[in-house]
Amino acid sequence: MENSKVEDLLSKINTLLDEAGTKINAADNLQILEALRVEYLGRKSQLIDILKGIKDAEPSQKAKLGQRSNLAKSQIENKIQEKIKQIKEKELKAIELQEEIDISIPPSGIKKGHKHLITTTIEEVEDIFMRMGFEVHYPYAIDDDYHNFESLNIPPGHPARDSWDTFWTEQGKIAITHTSSMQNRILSQQKPPVRAIVIGRCFRNEATDARHEHTFTQVEGVYVDKGITLPDMLGTLKEFFSKYYKKDLAVKFTPDFFPFVEPGGMMSLSCILCNGEGCKVCKQTGWLELLGCGMIHPKVLEMAGIDPKTYSGFAWGFGLERLIMLKNNINDIRLFNSGDLDFIKQF
Ligand code: DAH
């Protein structure tokens, strides 16, 4: 075979190699690659034709062309394999991207809840008192004897302690029986005028029924300044209740005993259901007895470092659930913590 023919064939192999390389690079799926494999490496491919055509070549020419075309074959095969790998990787990535879980996406199909009636009422009560110049405090759920009792003029052994069925911890601490537990801290930490409310959960170790719960919410209030009198207290509470019940209400003070106030008493509200006319809820009296209150006992002021000769003040404490029950016609206090969704969803 003429040497120039051999050269022609060699350059043809190079051209085929280039051509195949370009097409393989451009291929974007496995079917195209398979077609290219058939075209360039199959039995009817041009490379095979070339090999068939060198039967009459001299052994050295045969060897040269054979080696060159075999090399071209394996180069094309490698390129195809490489490309297959690339395409598969790309496909996998696309799948991964599709299946990737984005944990920041809000869940769909789950119904949003809403704030509990007690929470929204706490916010409402805070709002009313803050507009009246009171600051808001929260109690410690577990407190000590001094803050829950002693600083409120209830020394150890005092019979008044029996009024509060108390949960004690093994270390002698108390699950607070009332939010009055913050009075001493508030009064000793700031100079009068002091206007503050304390809202939080209280605990009583007593049997439960429609009116009593072991865990409930109390709103304590204190107001200390020069020249504060009982009418200031009645005016303040009348204002609060009229805002909360959205109607003008009358208030009444009936003497009663609490160790931390003198005089102490119960405050009643003209019945919000019958407007004082007399109904089942107010037992035909026209009044609802709602809270304990009074003028802060001089001893309590003294224990907080306030001179009772210069300053006076009032304090009150009411149960939040009772207020809500009257407003929303709820007849069992145990419903609040029952987890009964039918009840909760109504508000
Ligand atoms: N701490 C009392 C209780 O839980 C309620 C109370 C009554 C608070 C009179 C007061 C008050 O501040 O002056 O039974």
Side-chain angles (χ1 to χ4, degrees):
M1 187 188 268
E2 282 172 32
N3 270 341
S4 65
K5 179 117 193 264
V6 173
E7 288 306 317
D8 273 359
L9 289 174
L10 284 172
S11 86
K12 196 165 177 205
I13 291 173
N14 281 343
T15 312
L16 281 173
L17 189 61
D18 283 351
E19 199 183 287
T22 313
K23 286 191 189 168
I24 290 167
N25 272 343
D28 59 2
N29 66 53
L30 299 177
Q31 286 90 324
I32 294 179
L33 283 173
E34 194 45 39
L36 289 173
R37 187 204 298 279
V38 173
E39 182 179 344
Y40 289 97
L41 305 173
R43 277 185 289 123
K44 290 175 184 162
S45 65
Q46 296 190 56
L47 267 175
I48 296 291
D49 277 353
I50 290 171
L51 287 173
K52 278 181 190 159
I54 58 171
K55 268 182 261 157
D56 50 344
E58 288 162 27
S60 67
Q61 292 173 326
K62 255 190 196 169
K64 202 172 179 183
L65 283 165
Q67 270 171 18
R68 187 68 196 101
S69 69
N70 278 337
L71 184 66
K73 267 163 76 178
S74 65
Q75 280 171 327
I76 291 172
E77 182 61 43
N78 285 345
K79 277 202 170 122
I80 290 175
Q81 287 308 330
E82 181 60 27
K83 191 70 192 188
I84 287 175
K85 213 171 124 192
Q86 277 177 23
I87 288 175
K88 284 195 171 158
E89 267 169 17
K90 216 167 143 189
E91 280 177 1
L92 260 179
K93 275 234 170 73
I95 291 171
E96 262 171 30
L97 268 182
Q98 254 179 25
E99 290 181 351
E100 198 175 26
I101 297 169
D102 181 351
I103 54 166
S104 68
I105 295 175
S108 59
I110 295 176
K111 275 197 197 142
K112 271 210 180 136
H114 66 291
K115 288 180 187 169
H116 192 282
L117 180 55
I118 290 183
T119 309
T120 52
T121 309
I122 287 175
E123 287 170 357
E124 195 182 342
V125 169
E126 288 179 356
D127 190 58
I128 298 174
F129 277 116
M130 283 195 293
R131 283 164 196 269
M132 291 166 74
F134 285 77
E135 55 180 49
V136 178
H137 292 254
Y138 303 103
Y140 296 96
I142 305 288
D143 212 333
D144 51 30
D145 189 288
Y146 181 75
H147 289 99
N148 196 84
F149 289 129
E150 278 178 62
S151 65
L152 292 162
N153 197 27
I154 318 168
H158 194 290
R161 286 198 177 202
D162 290 348
S163 316
W164 293 275
D165 298 294
T166 310
F167 284 114
W168 296 87
T169 72
E170 281 164 7
Q171 292 78 23
K173 302 271 189 208
I174 294 169
I176 57 163
T177 58
H178 49 189
T179 48
S180 314
S181 61
M182 290 299 285
Q183 262 202 35
N184 180 268
R185 286 196 187 86
I186 292 169
L187 296 179
S188 48
Q189 275 163 18
Q190 39 191 301
K191 278 194 146 185
V194 178
R195 281 187 296 259
I197 58 165
V198 186
I199 303 194
R201 291 213 285 181
C202 301
F203 311 90
R204 299 276 171 93
N205 187 2
E206 60 184 20
T208 63
D209 60 29
R211 299 279 298 273
H212 299 89
E213 181 55 302
H214 50 69
T215 303
F216 59 99
T217 317
Q218 246 192 13
V219 181
E220 174 86 9
V222 283
Y223 192 156
V224 175
D225 201 357
K226 284 182 183 152
I228 298 294
T229 61
L230 201 83
D232 293 320
M233 177 179 81
L234 297 180
T236 302
L237 290 170
K238 178 178 157 66
E239 174 72 9
F240 165 74
F241 285 107
S242 300
K243 284 257 159 59
Y244 176 70
Y245 286 115
K246 297 190 172 65
K247 55 168 101 168
D248 195 26
L249 295 164
V251 293
K252 179 174 88 166
F253 180 79
T254 323
D256 202 338
F257 176 73
F258 294 98
F260 30 91
V261 276
E262 184 56 43
M266 296 301 288
M267 203 206 76
S268 304
L269 213 57
S270 54
C271 180
I272 57 150
L273 297 165
C274 62
N275 294 320
E277 306 266 298
C279 68
K280 228 176 93 190
V281 174
C282 63
K283 300 198 182 85
Q284 309 305 332
T285 62
W287 294 99
L288 297 165
E289 205 175 64
L290 270 191
L291 62 126
C293 55
M295 298 305 291
I296 301 178
H297 198 288
K299 271 196 183 164
V300 173
L301 289 177
E302 258 168 20
M303 275 188 274
I306 294 175
D307 180 5
K309 290 198 191 82
T310 315
Y311 295 102
S312 58
F314 59 82
W316 77 81
F318 61 78
L320 192 73
E321 284 82 356
R322 179 85 202 287
L323 254 62
I324 304 176
M325 287 166 78
L326 287 167
K327 193 176 197 174
N328 296 283
N329 204 9
I330 297 165
N331 57 16
D332 194 327
I333 191 173
R334 293 167 295 188
L335 283 165
F336 289 104
N337 287 331
S338 65
D340 180 340
L341 288 181
D342 286 339
F343 168 73
I344 287 169
K345 278 180 191 158
Q346 294 175 59
F347 306 101

